[in-house]
Amino acid sequence: EKLSGNVAIDGPAGAGKSTAARLLAQKLGYLYIDTGAMYRALTWKALKRGINVFAEKQLVALAEETNIYLESTTGGILKVYCDGEEVTKAIRQENVSCHVSAVARVPEVRRRLVELQRKMAASNRVVMDGRDIGTNVLPEAPYKFFLTASLAERAQRRYQELLAAGQPAALEKIKEEIHKRDVQDSLREVDPLQPAPDAVIIDTTNLWIEEVVDKMLSIIYERHNFGTGGATNSG
Ligand code: CDP
Ligand code: CDP
């Protein structure tokens, strides 16, 4: 039976959002949309231009003139483009990670990117991950998840990831960067990181990624069957 309705996934850095979202999109035949990549692409461009990340007006102007494009297919994001230039790898650099929260707190910057995100969801079924998807971008999505994990576990995951990519970094430094970003994302005035009232919260600290995805799938199908009345007990 075909599902109808988008999947929204939010949570702090390293909770497993993008990995889970990608696998879930594969299983459902949905498009995966990584909204964090969009904030990262804009931050990458600002840094390249030497724009101070606290210069709000300049950031807003930059957001207006920047063309961010996600080339995704069902089952996974392929490439991120900024004004036609491929920035898939560049936006993962530490310098971008350290400054992206400052860029993402500017209301007009968010407004512009959210508009793009809603457009992408209008023409496709999507699994979208970020910080404000369930609360703001797709409040009508029937399936909402909020993934969490302990700070130690999330830092450890990022540490392993960087090590595997041949870019080792100190665990303590990673922990600090992630924690700082969590605080900034949670305390900002516009669309802070927080679970939507109807989101299912999953603590992934002690779960394998496959377990997380299985859990999400079973919740999705449970809700789907319930939502369609389960054929029998609707009267
Ligand atoms: O993958 P990781 O957890 O490192 O972060 P990300 O999803 O790439 O997002 C990078 C940053 O973009 C976040 O720390 C937020 O500051 C911002 N962001 C946001 O404000 N709203 C979103 N919907 C997605 C990301
Ligand atoms: O998108 P987000 O920042 O929330 O996390 P991610 O990029 O999906 O996950 C960060 C790293 O943790 C990846 O290398 C995942 O393979 C790993 N991970 C894990 O080991 N166990 C999980 N339950 C989830 C993610």
Side-chain angles (χ1 to χ4, degrees):
E1 193 182 359
K2 269 277 175 205
L3 281 183
S4 60
N6 295 320
V7 182
I9 305 178
D10 293 299
K17 300 180 301 296
S18 54
T19 314
R22 191 175 289 123
L23 289 168
L24 207 57
Q26 257 165 31
K27 301 220 175 192
L28 298 174
Y30 280 24
L31 214 56
Y32 165 51
I33 295 176
D34 177 358
T35 64
M38 301 169 76
Y39 291 95
R40 283 173 177 275
L42 192 66
T43 305
W44 172 84
K45 185 174 171 184
L47 293 173
K48 199 177 70 161
R49 290 270 182 94
I51 293 174
N52 185 309
V53 292
F54 295 103
E56 279 202 25
K57 277 195 181 141
Q58 280 175 278
L59 290 177
V60 173
L62 194 74
E64 296 292 338
E65 59 145 77
T66 302
N67 180 22
I68 294 166
Y69 177 67
L70 302 185
E71 185 183 283
S72 33
T73 57
T74 40
I77 183 168
L78 292 181
K79 288 169 178 173
V80 184
Y81 292 91
C82 185
D83 300 322
E85 182 176 350
E86 206 212 310
V87 295
T88 315
K89 283 225 176 79
I91 62 168
R92 304 291 158 195
Q93 287 163 5
E94 195 191 328
N95 197 28
V96 174
S97 298
C98 288
H99 293 97
V100 61
S101 287
V103 173
R105 63 178 275 285
V106 179
E108 279 297 303
V109 165
R110 303 196 65 80
R111 207 180 51 74
R112 166 123 171 92
L113 294 187
V114 167
E115 188 180 286
L116 274 174
Q117 290 154 16
R118 290 193 181 132
K119 259 187 206 152
M120 291 191 264
S123 45
N124 297 284
R125 288 290 176 215
V126 300
V127 177
M128 192 179 278
D129 85 323
R131 301 292 186 286
D132 62 337
I133 311 306
T135 51
N136 173 51
V137 181
L138 304 174
E140 309 289 328
Y143 313 114
K144 295 182 187 174
F145 298 94
F146 192 91
L147 303 187
T148 63
S150 70
L151 177 63
E153 171 66 16
R154 292 185 288 119
Q156 184 64 36
R157 289 176 186 174
R158 209 30 71 82
Y159 173 80
Q160 293 295 346
E161 208 171 40
L162 289 169
L163 204 63
Q167 307 161 327
L171 182 61
E172 273 313 305
K173 245 193 118 189
I174 297 173
K175 206 179 202 170
E176 225 171 83
E177 182 262 308
I178 288 183
H179 179 63
K180 203 174 146 203
R181 200 141 54 91
D182 286 352
V183 171
Q184 281 179 290
D185 291 344
S186 306
L187 295 185
R188 72 172 171 233
E189 274 175 46
V190 176
D191 299 323
L193 168 65
Q194 63 179 70
D198 54 341
V200 175
I201 298 174
I202 300 176
D203 185 338
T204 74
T205 307
N206 296 306
L207 297 178
W208 296 107
I209 193 69
E210 292 79 7
E211 296 178 294
V212 176
V213 173
D214 284 350
K215 214 174 216 195
M216 293 169 99
L217 272 174
S218 68
I219 290 166
I220 287 172
Y221 281 109
E222 198 175 287
R223 284 201 173 179
H224 172 71
N225 291 332
F226 183 72
T228 54
T232 49
N233 55 358
S234 54

